[in-house]
């Protein structure tokens, strides 16, 4: 399927399901074991990072690095266009939390009409 048809399918799925995030201590890693493809954005407001992932059909999660003393909070949103790019877990990293995007099951179909 083309990128546009994959995007459309992901967008439709995101509109019919509830989005939630599974948090783990550490930096996000992909199924392939690497750091994944991410867009880094420094922000002092991690909620903005989550919201940007909420509305992005290709976003599979985000991570937040918050230093214990001073420094800038850093947010990374992760994109996946292939299954191996999906977030599979987290590797130890001080001050970092990985949040993998999850969808609730789709709503059940409506019951058939009564005779």
């Amino acid at each position: 399927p083309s990128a546009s048809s994959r995007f459309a399918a992901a967008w439709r799925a995101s509109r019919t399901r509830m989005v939630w995030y599974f948090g783990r201590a550490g930096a996000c890693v992909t199924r392939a074991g690497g750091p994944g493809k991410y867009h880094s954005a420094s922000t002092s407001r991690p909620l903005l990072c989550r919201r940007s992932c909420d509305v992005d059909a290709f976003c599979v999660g985000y991570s937040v690095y918050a230093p214990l003393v001073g420094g800038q909070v850093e947010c990374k949103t992760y994109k996946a266009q292939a299954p191996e790019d999906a977030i599979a877990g987290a590797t130890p990293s001080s001050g970092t939390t990985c949040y993998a995007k999850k969808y609730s099951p789709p709503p059940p179909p409506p019951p058939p009409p009564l005779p």
Side-chain angles (χ1 to χ4, degrees):
S2 71
S4 62
S5 65
R6 284 193 312 266
F7 176 82
W11 185 85
R12 281 192 303 277
S14 70
R15 295 327 241 178
T16 60
R17 299 180 186 183
M18 182 79 126
V19 174
W20 58 279
Y21 293 88
F22 181 72
R24 296 180 177 123
C28 297
V29 292
T30 65
R31 290 182 183 164
K37 298 175 179 132
Y38 61 85
H39 171 74
S40 186
S42 291
T43 177
S44 60
R45 297 171 46 192
L47 185 57
L48 293 179
C49 189
R50 177 185 171 147
R51 286 186 180 154
S52 70
C53 192
D54 285 347
V55 299
D56 185 340
F58 286 116
C59 184
V60 293
Y62 67 99
S63 66
V64 175
Y65 169 70
L68 293 175
V69 178
Q72 179 75 19
V73 172
E74 182 180 293
C75 167
K76 294 178 180 177
T77 55
Y78 293 81
K79 310 236 185 225
Q81 294 185 8
E84 62 272 12
D85 294 330
I87 294 174
T91 187
S93 180
S94 180
T96 304
T97 305
C98 174
Y99 298 92
K101 187 177 193 179
K102 305 290 183 185
Y103 291 99
S104 66
L114 297 173

